[in-house]
Amino acid sequence: MAARLTVIVSQSAVNSSSTADLEESLVAELLMSAGLDATLIGPLEFIQADSTDHLCLSGFNHSVVVVSWLPTEQVREHFQRLALGGSVRRLGEGDSLGPAALQAAPSGKRVYHLLLTSQSKISEVTDQLRNLLQDRNVKTVGISLPGGSSARKPLGVPTAPTSGAGSLAARGNHEFKQESKAAAARPAVEPRTPPAANPRPSSGAYSSDSDDEWLELDQLVDDFDALDL
């Protein structure tokens, strides 16, 4: 689940159109920013115990960011006067605004103060708050290391695949190399000489029966010549 950041905007005690426009524009910009929850209250120096604004501030048991025209020391004094609890400090001073700080229990609530001035720009203030929210959304996960040790690693960092596809590919490559070595070690087979077509028998292959047939053929030729045709 994505983290959220509560931003409390305290109005200026000086009633002027410039300060009112800046406050209204800032709240409107925060309301349109994803992950930022904006709340507008009256001037801190005018808030009394059991008032509506006091009840609103008392309902935040987690760490928050307060945007005010007052310096940090005066914001701290008014939080103590109203018995709101929490440790008030200027934003960027001391501890960073991390996930543990913003999720602190009521006894350890922290109030981070962001000062508004007549030179403040809406874009700069909202960008600073968005950066704080982005830092809060960065989380770490534990990974096991050889030897049983562990380490923290940011989410979203790709890791090496652990499926069996890599081992199967390695085993297939090993078997192919073994077969190639076995084929190279086998002796070459000499090619066979094809038999000659219609081989002629040697002279000693004729039998005596063949000699008799040739004699009879010669006698028939002589008899034919003796005929007076």
Side-chain angles (χ1 to χ4, degrees):
M1 183 178 180
R4 305 191 66 84
L5 180 63
T6 300
V7 182
I8 301 173
V9 180
S10 177
Q11 294 175 319
S12 173
V14 178
N15 188 11
S16 66
S17 59
S18 59
T19 57
D21 290 342
L22 182 60
E23 294 163 356
E24 293 175 359
S25 300
L26 176 59
V27 172
E29 183 68 21
L30 294 177
L31 290 175
M32 293 186 295
S33 300
L36 298 178
D37 299 325
T39 300
L40 181 64
I41 62 174
L44 284 174
E45 55 266 45
F46 293 164
I47 297 177
Q48 299 298 321
D50 298 332
S51 65
T52 303
D53 288 339
H54 178 259
L55 292 176
C56 177
L57 291 173
S58 300
F60 297 111
N61 293 326
H62 54 278
S63 297
V64 297
V65 177
V66 174
V67 181
S68 172
W69 299 89
L70 299 177
T72 304
E73 293 77 11
Q74 295 185 24
V75 173
R76 183 181 299 111
E77 292 175 358
H78 288 297
F79 264 73
Q80 293 175 354
R81 175 179 63 85
L82 297 171
L84 294 173
S87 175
V88 180
R89 66 189 65 190
R90 181 173 57 85
L91 185 61
E93 177 184 27
D95 298 338
S96 62
L97 188 59
L102 288 174
Q103 293 293 347
S107 59
K109 181 176 68 174
R110 299 178 183 179
V111 180
Y112 294 89
H113 174 240
L114 181 60
L115 179 64
L116 273 182
T117 65
S118 58
Q119 288 78 30
S120 297
K121 296 182 179 180
I122 301 298
S123 58
E124 295 178 354
V125 175
T126 53
D127 286 344
Q128 188 174 1
L129 295 173
R130 290 193 187 100
N131 291 334
L132 295 176
L133 179 63
Q134 184 177 1
D135 293 340
R136 187 184 177 192
N137 282 322
V138 174
K139 299 179 180 180
T140 58
V141 294
I143 58 174
S144 298
L145 298 176
S149 60
S150 61
R152 307 297 294 177
K153 185 175 183 179
L155 286 176
V157 179
T159 57
T162 57
S163 63
S167 59
L168 290 176
R171 186 177 63 182
N173 188 27
H174 175 71
E175 293 178 354
F176 175 77
K177 292 181 178 179
Q178 293 295 332
E179 293 179 359
S180 300
K181 291 181 179 179
R186 287 197 295 267
V189 180
E190 295 182 357
R192 295 183 179 180
T193 303
N198 300 324
R200 295 181 62 184
S202 59
S203 59
Y206 292 103
S207 62
S208 58
D209 293 338
S210 298
D211 295 338
D212 294 339
E213 291 177 358
W214 281 105
L215 293 176
E216 292 179 357
L217 182 59
D218 291 340
Q219 184 63 40
L220 289 175
V221 173
D222 293 339
D223 292 342
F224 181 77
D225 292 337
L227 292 177
D228 187 11
L229 298 178

